[in-house]
Amino acid sequence: MSGIIQAIILGLGTGLALIVAIGAQNAFVLRQGLLGRHVGPVVAACALSDAALIAAGICGMGGLVTAAPVAVVVLRYVGAAFLLCYGVMAARRALRPQALLPAEANDEKLPAESLAAEAPNAGNGPARMGSPGPGSTALATKTRVNRLAPVLATILALTWLNPHVYLDTVVLLGSVANAQGGSLQWWFGAGAVLGSILWFCALGFGARLLRGFFARPASWRILDGGIAATMIALAAGLVLGN
């Protein structure tokens, strides 16, 4: 029993050491947590992806990764292109900062420009037939950002298009797990999966504690600027082979 506990603790610590870092995946989870949008599905997607990758490493898939360097190189450039695009999008958001409204704290974040555009029409009475009403901009914004599919597509791309996730999770974690011997390798994997679940739950659901700070547009400019710099730096690192 002591061997099992030691394997779980070792897997937990090793998994957290690889997961807890500034990266594209964590930055996206943090942003979704601050917005309160689809946090559960995003956290679940990250944890399930890690579980699949860890299981693949324990089953010996790490050998296939190291034996197919061309595939890793192709994945590196595809991932770099995706990170660069997302970094540009974050930079654009930083140039047009948004605010998390108190009334929308558990729902949506609306652009400051949309709110300003609605203000002049607020006291003009009913909108003309066929023309958008005062709240139509906000409604359109909510409809656009409230879809789950694009959010899940983004987090899955950030996870699976990152070549480092295969080298770190599949190869490294798989090697350490298999070094435990016997059935302890799966207990090690269970500890690593537990670390992934704990981390992403803390990051996604704990982000709400920072919502007071992000009630100001300037705070979002700092966050999105940092995300943009992180994404672009990661993309450059992939292209340069770092």
Side-chain angles (χ1 to χ4, degrees):
M1 181 62 69
S2 61
I4 292 177
I5 295 177
Q6 290 178 358
I8 293 175
I9 294 175
L10 179 60
L12 176 66
T14 306
L16 286 174
L18 293 176
I19 296 171
V20 180
I22 298 175
Q25 185 188 50
N26 286 338
F28 186 81
V29 175
L30 174 62
R31 195 172 196 280
Q32 290 302 122
L34 288 169
L35 296 176
R37 296 184 194 145
H38 311 303
V39 181
V42 167
V43 168
C46 293
L48 290 174
S49 295
D50 275 358
L53 291 165
I54 292 169
I58 295 176
C59 290
M61 297 297 290
L64 294 179
V65 174
T66 55
V70 176
V72 175
V73 171
V74 172
L75 192 63
R76 175 189 301 167
Y77 286 102
V78 173
F82 181 82
L83 289 173
L84 181 61
C85 291
Y86 192 85
V88 171
M89 292 171 58
R92 291 181 60 185
R93 289 197 304 265
L95 294 176
R96 299 179 62 185
Q98 301 167 318
L100 188 66
L101 303 180
E104 306 284 347
N106 294 318
D107 188 6
E108 304 295 337
K109 185 185 69 172
L110 303 179
E113 291 85 350
S114 298
L115 300 177
E118 294 171 26
N121 298 324
N124 291 342
R128 293 177 300 168
M129 180 149 329
S131 63
S136 61
T137 304
L139 180 59
T141 302
K142 288 184 179 182
T143 302
R144 183 175 64 253
V145 301
N146 201 37
R147 292 177 297 171
L148 175 60
V151 173
L152 286 180
T154 300
I155 190 59
L156 290 175
L158 290 173
T159 301
W160 292 90
L161 291 181
N162 178 13
H164 291 297
V165 77
Y166 300 98
L167 299 177
D168 292 343
T169 307
V170 178
V171 177
L172 180 57
L173 266 179
S175 300
V176 177
N178 289 321
Q180 305 305 307
S183 62
L184 292 180
Q185 58 189 9
W186 290 106
W187 289 109
F188 176 94
V193 172
L194 176 61
S196 174
I197 294 173
L198 292 176
W199 167 250
F200 287 117
C201 284
L203 186 63
F205 294 106
R208 67 182 60 191
L209 300 176
L210 299 175
R211 282 179 176 171
F213 175 74
F214 285 95
R216 301 186 299 270
S219 302
W220 284 100
R221 172 169 288 172
I222 295 172
L223 176 66
D224 284 324
I227 291 177
T230 300
M231 300 292 184
I232 294 174
L234 289 173
L238 289 179
V239 171
L240 297 175
N242 296 330

